[in-house]
């Protein structure tokens, strides 16, 4: 084989890359160009299909839009009702119940769009202390989880309770050591 890809014993091998008047490299370029055109046409066809599907997906169906809008309004109304009644957090360590309530939830959301100052109320239901007010729902939830910081009754209740978990673990470990020692002694005997 010669460097041009033509068998060395071919009658026109001495002509190099030009074989019977045709340039071998040019023929390869034409084949590649033709296959690239086919590939480009396939890609364009696939893109056109995807564009038409995307256009159909983005075009709203009037009935579907109205149905979705009604579902969203219903869900927002249910959340407003739930927030108006308040959400109750129960502390695991003390059992104290703390309620967070959105004070503007029962009102019309259009009228109170700009009023966000002191919107969320946090109140200890167990000790009936003075409520705290927050601008942010996350801050109100954090305060509800940490009622021992701001509620005097929760603070005293937390101080009165002794941690049992640590002693229970120590006792369990000691019992486990004794049981292992007895088993080892029984095996030796």
């Amino acid at each position: 084989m010669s460097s041009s890809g033509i068998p060395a014993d071919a009658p026109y091998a001495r002509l190099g890359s030009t074989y019977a008047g045709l340039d071998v490299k040019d023929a390869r370029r034409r084949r590649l160009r033709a296959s690239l055109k086919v590939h480009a046409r396939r890609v364009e066809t696939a893109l056109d299909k995807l564009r038409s599907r995307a256009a159909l997906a983005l075009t709203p169906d009037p009935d579907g839009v109205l149905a979705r809008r009604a579902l969203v309004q219903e869900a927002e109304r249910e959340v407003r009702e739930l927030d108006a009644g308040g959400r109750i957090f129960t502390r695991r360590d003390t059992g104290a119940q703390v309620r967070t309530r959105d004070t503007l939830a029962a009102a019309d959301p259009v009228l109170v769009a700009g009023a966000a100052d002191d919107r969320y109320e946090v109140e200890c239901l167990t000790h009936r202390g003075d409520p705290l007010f927050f601008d942010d729902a996350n801050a109100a939830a954090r305060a509800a989880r940490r009622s021992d910081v701001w509620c005097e009754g929760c603070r005293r209740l937390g101080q009165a309770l002794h941690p049992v978990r640590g002693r229970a673990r120590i006792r369990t470990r000691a019992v486990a050591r004794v049981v292992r020692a007895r088993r080892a002694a029984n095996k030796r005997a």
Side-chain angles (χ1 to χ4, degrees), residues 73 75-85 104-109:
Q73 288 174 348
E76 288 175 350
R77 187 183 58 76
E78 289 175 4
V79 168
R80 279 196 309 272
E81 288 174 1
L82 181 67
D83 283 341
L104 303 177
D108 187 16

Side-chain angles (χ1 to χ4, degrees), residues 24-100:
V24 174
K25 292 182 179 180
D26 187 46
R28 183 172 185 273
R29 275 192 218 108
R30 282 186 302 208
R31 279 195 317 272
L32 287 175
R33 195 175 300 131
S35 65
L36 285 175
K37 284 182 183 177
V38 170
H39 182 68
R41 203 175 305 126
R42 287 180 184 163
V43 168
E44 283 297 321
T45 305
L47 281 174
D48 287 342
K49 286 181 183 178
L50 289 175
R51 286 183 189 126
S52 66
R53 287 181 189 164
L56 288 174
L58 293 176
T59 305
D61 177 26
D63 297 332
V65 169
L66 294 176
R68 280 192 295 264
R69 190 173 297 155
L71 287 173
V72 167
Q73 288 174 348
E74 179 68 21
E76 288 175 350
R77 187 183 58 76
E78 289 175 4
V79 168
R80 279 196 309 272
E81 288 174 1
L82 181 67
D83 283 341
R87 296 182 184 178
I88 297 177
F89 291 90
T90 303
R91 292 190 49 137
R92 291 183 184 175
D93 55 351
T94 61
Q97 291 187 337
V98 181
R99 177 179 65 184
T100 60

